[in-house]
Structures are given as structure tokens and as C-alpha cells.
Amino acid sequence: MILVTGGAGFIGSNFVLDWLANPKAEGIVNLDKLTYAGNLSTLAPLEKDSRHVFIKGDIGDSTLVAHLLQQYRPRAIINFAAESHVDRSIHGPADFIQTNILGSFNLLECTRTHWNSLPIEEQQQFRFLHISTDEVYGSLGANDTAFKESTAYEPNSPYSASKAASDHLVRAWFHTYGLPVLTTNCSNNYGPFHFPEKLIPLVILNALNEKPLPIYGDGMQVRDWLYVSDHCAAIRCVLEKGALGETYNVGGWNEKANLDVVKTICAILDELRPRANGASYAEQIRFVTDRPGHDRRYAIDASKLERELGWKPSETFDTGIRKTIEWYLGHPEWVAGVQSGSYRDWINRHYVA
Ligand code: NAD
Ligand code: DAU
């Protein structure tokens, strides 16, 4: 088995589905607290798959985590669990400190105790892979070179500061205790099952619902977009081939200004689902007050991962964004569940006897 935390969220659920799509893959124990961001209906195709064991719980619960490690003896842990939305971290940072820092600390400590108890061969095979973000590096100017693994950490939001803290803990557990860790720092993901508080799904669904498309500030902030299945492939690659204690930047080589992203979405929707009045969805764009501490530009240099482990993204932004829009248009039930809030009842309807 492997243990995945946060596997009912956006990237975690894509990872679990991708992993178990391989009939020869090991099973997954999926530990997720099911916050507002956890959506078990995404994992409905696995309901009868005995290789997927879902556990509702908190990475900060040491009794539960210790018990799961003892019971399932996973050969690897992949830590996706986090509070992930920058805007929420500005309005209420406490949950970010609790899960991203203290939760990660607890997971590391339980893992260390468990790992120390393993026979030497199992210790050598064991991996703890921590999923992190490019936001820990702070903000780039227009002409700065892209973030490398050696770039100094300069987090600017409560979210990125909490992720930076967890990255430092992971590093320390390697250098101090020898825990076999790996860390990935990834750029902005997009694709299926993305919760519509984040820019791309928010714009797709607001456009279709004839709501305003909010652009923070001047809309010229730049993000480096990566299609989520490319991220999943990178994680599998680092898990199998990554050098212990190393960090790997993951990115799509797809730098785009927010305004261009939104205009691209509008143009594709104009083609695939034209508005009844014939006008463009771009008419719904509204410039709104900027996010406090808004980072101007992120850009990832993912050449280490390509050079050393042979990974590179397979989607361009043009192919990935079209697939994403087609996915949202083709999955009205998933969208309705999220928009009505009924996705939160899924665990009661499907998992409680
Ligand atoms: P998400 O918010 O969609 O999902 C997070 C998941 O973690 C949810 O299912 C939630 O229920 C679960 N969770 C939250 N607190 C928990 C706790 N205390 N114990 C157990 N489970 C808990 O996030 P995401 O976008 O899928 O991001 C996953 C990871 O990847 C995060 O660590 C994030 O920092 C990182 N990351 C995200 C992106 C991105 O663009 N989305 C990019 C780079 C890195
Ligand atoms: O860079 C990786 C990070 O990407 C991850 O670590 C985070 O978990 C993930 O949420 C994402 O953070 P961002 O803040 O970049 O993503 P978000 O979708 O919230 O915003 C993308 C950009 O769009 C950002 O510059 C803010 C802007 N924006 C966002 C929203 C929600 C808008 O202009 N309008 C909006 O309504």
C-alpha cells in the first residue's frame, strides 16, 4: 500500500484516480479530513475497488495516523493534505497554521516513529513525499529568472508562509533524523475536479452562469500553469526515482497573465457553448480590488526534474485548457453537486452504514 493524505481534494483525487487506473498498481489508503475542499463524489468510480481504502480523519491526529501506519505498513506516504487557497488564508490564517504546519509536523513525527520500527530493508525502501508549491519562493519581477530549487524562500501570504514552514520541517527531518523524504514544489495546477474558488474553474462556471468574471487588480499577474495529470506523472516519477532529501520544481513552462487566461477561457466557451444573445463571454469580465500581498509573477524552472529524472509536461496550455473546459461542460452533475453543496453529503449517503 501507499498512504495518500488529502486524496479527496483537487490534486490528490486526480492522483488517486490516475494511480489506480493502472490495474497493477498497489492499493491506496486515503486519509482526508473532508474539509469544504474534500469531495468524495470525485472518487465515486472507486467505490467498489478494494484497492482504495478511504479514511475520514486529520493528519494532525497522532493516534489515528500511528494506527494507520501500523495497520497498513505503507511503503510510501504522499502528503497532499493542506489548506490551499490564498484568499482564505488572508481572511482566516488559523486553519493554515493548524493543518499545513502542525498537521505536517504530526505526520512527520508519526512517520519517524513508525520508520524507526521497520526492518532495515523496509526502512531503505520507504519514502515520504511532501507536495508543496512554488509560492514559497515569493514574487518575481518581469525580467527575473525562473525559480530554481536553490532560490531563497520569500513567502508573502499566510498560505505560502505555512507551506514554507512545512517544507523546512520536512528538510530538517531528513538532515536530523535521516527520514527518507522528497519534496516537490509545483506551479499552478488546473484540470478536472478543481474546486470553483480558484481562478480557472471559477471563471468557467461564472461565465456559464452569467455572473461577473472577477479580475484582481490589473490582471497582469503571471502564473505558470500545469495540467494536473502532468503533475501526477511528475509525483510518480519523483516517488520512484527521486534522490533522498532532494527537492524538485515542477512546472508547465506555461507563463500566462491572468487576463490572458480569462480571455482564452471566454474565447473557447464562445466557440463551444455560444451565449444565447451572441455576445462574447468576455463582456462579463470585471476588474475588482486586488488581493493584499498579491505576488506579481511566478515562473518555475523545471529543468532539474527533466535532466535528472526524465519528466516533462505533455500538455501545453492550449491543449490543457481546452480539455479542462470540455470536462466542465461534460460533467454537469459534478458541478451541480459542488454548487449546491450536496457533495458534502456524499460520505453519509455512501460510506455510513
Ligand atoms: P485542495 O484544497 O483541493 O485539497 C486539499 C485536501 O486536503 C482536501 O481534500 C481536504 O479535505 C484535505 N485536508 C485539509 N486539511 C486536512 C487535514 N488536516 N487532514 C487531512 N486532510 C486534510 O488542495 P489541492 O489544490 O489539491 O492541493 C493539494 C496539495 O498540493 C496542497 O498541499 C497544496 O499546497 C499543493 N499545491 C497545490 C497547487 C495547486 O495549484 N492547486 C499547486 C502546487 C502545490
Ligand atoms: O502557484 C501554486 C499555487 O496556485 C498553489 O500553491 C495554491 O494552492 C493554488 O491555490 C494556486 O494559488 P493562486 O493564488 O495562484 O491561485 P488562484 O486560482 O487563487 O489565483 C490565480 C491568479 O488569479 C492569482 O494571481 C489571483 C488571480 N485571481 C484569482 C481569483 C480566484 C483573480 O484575478 N480573480 C479571482 O477571482
Side-chain angles (χ1 to χ4, degrees), residues 6 8-12 31-38 57-60 79-84 99 131-133 159 163 186-189 194 198 231:
F10 163 49
I11 303 173
L31 172 63
D32 194 297
K33 187 178 173 185
L34 294 183
T35 67
Y36 78 93
D58 194 323
I59 58 167
N79 184 28
F80 293 95
E83 290 292 337
S84 71
T99 285
I131 306 301
S132 192
T133 171
Y159 163 69
K163 291 296 290 186
C186 189
S187 62
N188 286 62
N189 285 215
H194 205 179
K198 309 280 170 68
H231 188 190

Side-chain angles (χ1 to χ4, degrees), residues 112-187:
R112 179 165 77 93
T113 305
H114 175 70
W115 180 74
N116 276 328
S117 75
L118 294 175
I120 189 77
E121 315 79 64
E122 281 185 54
Q123 279 192 349
Q124 281 166 352
Q125 282 163 11
F126 191 86
R127 296 289 181 272
F128 182 101
L129 172 47
H130 179 62
I131 306 301
S132 192
T133 171
D134 60 358
E135 301 207 9
V136 297
Y137 298 120
S139 187
L140 291 170
N143 299 318
D144 290 341
T145 53
F147 301 131
K148 289 185 183 301
E149 288 78 0
S150 54
T151 303
Y153 274 29
E154 286 182 353
N156 293 318
S157 72
Y159 163 69
S160 55
S162 67
K163 291 296 290 186
S166 64
D167 293 8
H168 291 323
L169 293 175
V170 171
R171 176 187 162 90
W173 262 238
F174 172 72
H175 285 281
T176 304
Y177 304 116
L179 194 70
V181 305
L182 300 151
T183 298
T184 53
N185 292 87
C186 189
S187 62

